[in-house]
Amino acid sequence: MPAPRNRATSGHEHTGSPRARLAAMRHRAALLAEARAFFAEHGYLEVETPVLARAGTPDAQLAQFALKDPVLGALYLQTSPEYAMKRLIMAGSGSIYQITKAFRQGESGRFHNPEFTLVEWYGLGYDHWRLIAEACALIARLVPSLGAPARIVSYREAFRHALDIDPIETSTDQLRAVAYKHLPTAQNLVLNDRDEILDLIMSHAVAPGFPVEALTVVTDYPSSQASLARLNVQGLADRFEIYRGPLELANGFYEAARGEEYAERFADEAAKRRERGLPRIDQDQRLLAALSEGDLPDCAGCALGFDRVLMLAMDATHIDEVLAFPIAQA
């Protein structure tokens, strides 16, 4: 049974003492054990990859911590272990998972800490549909109240249901008007990038309508938001996100396999970074080299925000409540 939330220690104190969060630490340990048992039962190998690496993530939507070592040069705290895990798959690891720390710059708030715990796994021979079922089963095991069958809806259907608009066909100007209507503070933003506009609409006008009593799985994202997911016959991305109410818990793909696709998408993201005036990120040439020798084996991958799942299990209202030392006290 979830431990009761101590409202006197909501994570906004600045004493530096973790004593008030010991119950959360015990609950964290119990859920980590449950997660490891789940993956062992499903035949996954636990692995560990570097959190500090020579290459970064080119995704223009992510801000990465970059370091400068006097001997090694540029180093990056990883936003996800994705690239290293794919190199392990290319080496013949089979289905793998890991529970690791990940880092994203500029993310701090009710559901965000710049350092957070990520559960990431790759199922060989899986497509995204099989992984959706597995991810929902894992979440339900960790948070039994979310054991009801998940609602599965396409990205297009979610927008149509909430706003009666088609996010694929609607013009960028029209989408911008929708964003301004549903997010008054957007009036102060320069909204030129279509995907940034869609993300704002999703987070502020679509996802808030998702039910809190069960999971919602959104599928078939626009190709411009494919990241490293395969594109299907409709030209949409075989990508999914899992929500509980408006809170995103997981993001997954039926993974693209061809090295040429990775090189092209890395180049596209690098171009977006230049257009937006963002820092250049060194690409993972080792992953590209591995893919030049053969395609990635057929697989699907998922990343689950463990701290957010723990929040739901403990009925916490702020991520600070489930961290021993949130960033303000680190």
Side-chain angles (χ1 to χ4, degrees):
M1 179 178 294
R5 178 160 52 86
N6 185 342
R7 296 183 180 275
T9 59
S10 62
H12 306 293
E13 58 184 21
H14 297 281
T15 64
S17 171
R19 185 177 299 123
R21 300 192 188 90
L22 288 179
M25 296 305 98
R26 295 187 183 100
H27 207 111
R28 174 182 289 268
L31 290 197
L32 288 172
E34 280 294 324
R36 287 189 164 93
F38 178 91
F39 286 112
E41 291 164 13
H42 286 74
Y44 284 82
L45 172 69
E46 183 172 11
V47 300
E48 184 177 277
T49 59
V51 295
L52 185 65
R54 292 174 179 266
T57 303
D59 192 330
Q61 302 294 336
L62 299 178
Q64 192 153 15
F65 286 100
L67 311 175
K68 190 74 172 180
D69 183 89
V71 176
L72 298 174
L75 296 170
Y76 302 89
L77 288 172
Q78 298 299 286
T79 61
S80 157
E82 176 181 1
Y83 300 162
M85 292 183 77
K86 286 180 175 176
R87 287 168 60 191
L88 288 177
I89 290 171
M90 294 290 292
S93 66
S95 295
I96 55 176
Y97 83 98
Q98 73 171 301
I99 300 171
T100 186
K101 290 295 185 180
F103 304 84
R104 295 183 186 177
Q105 198 172 28
E107 296 198 1
S108 183
R110 182 181 173 192
F111 300 112
H112 297 86
N113 195 67
E115 176 185 351
F116 58 99
T117 300
L118 196 63
V119 182
E120 186 149 337
W121 71 102
Y122 293 84
L124 255 66
Y126 282 45
D127 62 10
H128 57 304
W129 298 112
R130 182 177 175 186
L131 199 65
I132 286 169
E134 191 169 84
C136 290
L138 172 60
I139 294 169
R141 180 153 172 174
L142 301 180
V143 189
S145 63
L146 295 177
R151 168 179 174 253
I152 298 179
V153 60
S154 74
Y155 188 88
R156 182 175 252 154
E157 290 168 341
F159 273 74
R160 285 174 171 168
H161 178 77
L163 302 168
D164 196 28
I165 61 172
D166 186 323
I168 311 299
E169 302 296 336
T170 301
S171 72
T172 300
D173 286 341
Q174 290 173 302
L175 290 174
R176 186 182 297 110
V178 171
Y180 286 147
K181 176 181 177 181
H182 291 275
L183 183 61
T185 56
Q187 300 287 347
N188 302 319
L189 302 175
V190 178
L191 298 180
N192 293 322
D193 184 88
R194 182 181 181 88
D195 287 316
E196 286 186 322
I197 296 170
L198 286 170
D199 284 347
L200 281 172
I201 296 173
M202 170 61 87
S203 60
H204 290 86
V206 178
F210 294 162
V212 296
E213 64 274 8
L215 299 173
T216 296
V217 182
V218 182
T219 65
D220 295 327
Y221 276 69
S223 60
S224 59
Q225 297 183 31
S227 188
L228 293 175
R230 298 190 187 202
L231 299 182
N232 58 37
V233 293
Q234 287 81 34
L236 302 174
D238 284 339
R239 171 187 169 192
F240 65 89
E241 290 187 349
I242 301 178
Y243 289 82
R244 185 269 192 176
L247 181 62
E248 180 192 342
L249 300 176
N251 181 34
F253 309 147
Y254 188 9
E255 301 291 343
R258 295 185 300 106
E260 296 88 346
E261 281 188 86
Y262 281 75
E264 290 168 4
R265 296 192 196 183
F266 282 3
D268 288 344
E269 290 298 325
K272 287 181 184 178
R273 296 188 73 87
R274 288 193 298 272
E275 290 169 6
R276 299 178 190 178
L278 299 174
R280 177 184 174 277
I281 298 291
D282 291 329
Q283 297 180 6
D284 194 330
Q285 298 299 327
R286 291 177 178 84
L287 174 61
L288 294 176
L291 288 165
S292 71
E293 298 176 3
D295 291 348
L296 182 74
D298 201 43
C299 66
C302 184
L304 174 71
F306 182 81
D307 304 304
R308 293 184 178 184
V309 172
L310 181 57
M311 285 180 65
L312 296 179
M314 296 194 65
D315 191 30
T317 60
H318 199 289
I319 196 171
D320 287 8
E321 297 176 63
V322 300
L323 303 175
F325 294 106
I327 192 61
Q329 299 176 8

